[in-house]
Amino acid sequence: MKITRIETIPYSIPFTKPLYFASGVVTSAEHVLVRVHTDEGLIGTADAPPRPYTYGETQASIAAAINDLFAPGLIGLSPLDRETAHAHMNRTVGNPVAKAAVDMALWDLVGLSLGVSVSQLLGGYTDRMRVAHMIGFSETDAMVADALRMRDQHGITSFKIKVGRHPIELDIQACLAVRDALGPQAELYIDGNRGWTAAESLRALHALDGVGLLFAEELCPADDVLGRRWLVQHSHLPIYADESVTTPAEVTREVLGGAATGISIKTARTGFTASQRVLNLCQGLGIEVVMGNQIDGQVGSLCTATFGAAFKATAGRPGELSNFLDMSNDLLAEPLAIEDGVLLLPQRPGIGIEIDEAKLDRYRQDR
Ligand code: MUC
Ligand code: MG
């Protein structure tokens, strides 16, 4: 089987409830659907969500990187030639989301051609993941209402609260209120998206002492090299790295530099191949991981769950899989569902992505 062409389809689906966080806001899913076509008629599919405030990529740059830089070297390869495909793509620096989407679409093709689910190919640990929901910035009452809605409608009991605002008391008040509303059983952790200095972060962690947080994610910028190290040394909570760890090398740098004690794995930026390397690295180093979310729609969330369910270490704690619930529509023919706090993987070959062509036609921006 040979790759014959790659389609990059920009689309836009509005969110019903925008997500606000310290580094930006997402009001509509302006993503790129990536389809890798083959001479046997099989099509590998994945999604690329541009996050300019995190990786510098845009919808247009993702399409250009794939069409102009990657496709010429990928056409003619077999989907099994993944290492060759990566060697070619890695001649271009950066562009993690564009590379990840191609990688996942190739894995999709491998699964489709074998008639096996990619999750089973990767590790096959389980067919489901518990779900953690991300609570974006809002008035405290609205943040509490969001948590209660997710608990009552979807059985979710694990929550990541966005922090990183000024004054820090805004976030402290919100965290206290969410804990108060959900009770002691709920799992809570925070994510600062680099919004605070190291000193502000430590002050907030002390003030949040009674909230019973599990860990804190990316509180200050990756460039605050010594500040991050100081925070890890002084924090009583594990400090997870997210947007500072877009490659296995960056994971090594952050962890060995003493700047992080846990890692968020996002398939949207490391696909399946590099996510596996990140996971193996973390297991070798003896540090914990969480399956993060790049504010994915259903296609991206299915990719996250595909990887997360494949391994004991990633399936062991709830993955961030619920952002799509706040979108007005999506592209899957068979929508994902979260019930009793669990997302079940579809039992289909490949990643299991079946695009509803009518929906794609409605939301695509290139026609
Ligand atoms: C997260 O975990 O940070 C927000 C920005 C981004 O790049 O990812 C999301 C969620
Ligand atoms: Mg994060």
Side-chain angles (χ1 to χ4, degrees), residues 21 54 134 160 162 191 193 217 242 266 293-295:
F21 45 96
T54 310
M134 212 181 276
K160 158 156 130 173
K162 288 294 191 185
D191 182 2
N193 290 111
E217 179 173 309
D242 172 11
K266 288 182 174 169
N293 192 310
Q294 203 69 77
I295 321 177

Side-chain angles (χ1 to χ4, degrees), residues 245 247-263 276-289:
V245 288
T247 62
E250 286 177 355
V251 174
T252 310
R253 211 171 294 151
E254 290 305 295
V255 174
L256 297 190
T261 45
I263 297 294
Q276 229 175 333
R277 290 179 186 164
V278 168
L279 175 62
N280 293 344
L281 180 58
C282 292
Q283 290 190 293
L285 292 167
I287 62 168
E288 290 183 359
V289 297

Side-chain angles (χ1 to χ4, degrees), residues 98-347:
K99 290 173 183 171
V102 171
D103 175 74
M104 293 188 285
L106 294 182
W107 275 92
D108 192 28
L109 281 168
V110 174
L112 290 171
S113 66
L114 295 173
V116 176
S117 101
V118 170
S119 202
Q120 284 179 320
L121 274 180
L122 285 166
Y125 181 68
T126 177
D127 63 353
R128 64 199 60 208
M129 276 206 87
R130 283 188 298 139
V131 175
H133 179 67
M134 212 181 276
I135 304 174
F137 294 161
S138 190
E139 302 292 327
T140 295
D141 287 353
M143 292 171 73
V144 168
D146 190 24
L148 292 175
R149 176 175 63 102
M150 288 295 156
R151 183 193 68 182
D152 298 343
Q153 292 182 9
H154 299 283
I156 295 174
T157 56
S158 180
F159 296 88
K160 158 156 130 173
I161 306 174
K162 288 294 191 185
V163 299
R165 289 179 288 187
H166 294 94
I168 64 173
E169 285 69 26
L170 270 177
D171 293 329
I172 292 161
Q173 187 196 38
C175 291
L176 288 166
V178 171
R179 169 59 79 203
D180 211 35
L182 293 175
Q185 288 87 11
E187 265 187 18
L188 299 184
Y189 56 106
I190 55 173
D191 182 2
N193 290 111
R194 300 162 280 149
W196 287 332
T197 64
E200 286 168 340
S201 304
L202 191 64
R203 192 150 62 82
L205 291 182
H206 283 312
L208 291 167
D209 221 2
V211 174
L213 297 174
L214 274 188
F215 61 86
E217 179 173 309
E218 208 74 283
L219 297 180
C220 32
D223 286 349
D224 293 355
V225 180
L226 295 182
R228 283 162 72 93
R229 206 178 288 176
W230 174 87
L231 180 64
V232 165
Q233 284 162 359
H234 289 83
S235 168
H236 56 290
L237 288 181
I239 302 288
Y240 277 51
D242 172 11
E243 48 269 54
S244 60
V245 288
T246 62
T247 62
E250 286 177 355
V251 174
T252 310
R253 211 171 294 151
E254 290 305 295
V255 174
L256 297 190
T261 45
I263 297 294
S264 170
I265 298 179
K266 288 182 174 169
T267 53
R269 67 169 170 238
T270 38
F272 296 142
T273 304
S275 291
Q276 229 175 333
R277 290 179 186 164
V278 168
L279 175 62
N280 293 344
L281 180 58
C282 292
Q283 290 190 293
L285 292 167
I287 62 168
E288 290 183 359
V289 297
V290 61
M291 288 310 297
N293 192 310
Q294 203 69 77
I295 321 177
D296 294 296
Q298 295 196 9
V299 177
S301 300
L302 184 48
C303 290
T304 305
T306 290
F307 186 89
F311 303 99
K312 185 165 176 269
T314 44
R317 58 155 295 103
E320 295 162 10
L321 297 164
S322 61
N323 287 89
F324 71 84
L325 293 172
D326 290 325
M327 284 169 61
S328 59
N329 207 339
D330 220 306
L331 298 181
L332 289 187
E334 200 181 297
L336 296 180
I338 297 172
E339 282 168 21
D340 295 328
V342 169
L343 187 146
L344 277 180
L345 288 179
Q347 295 305 301

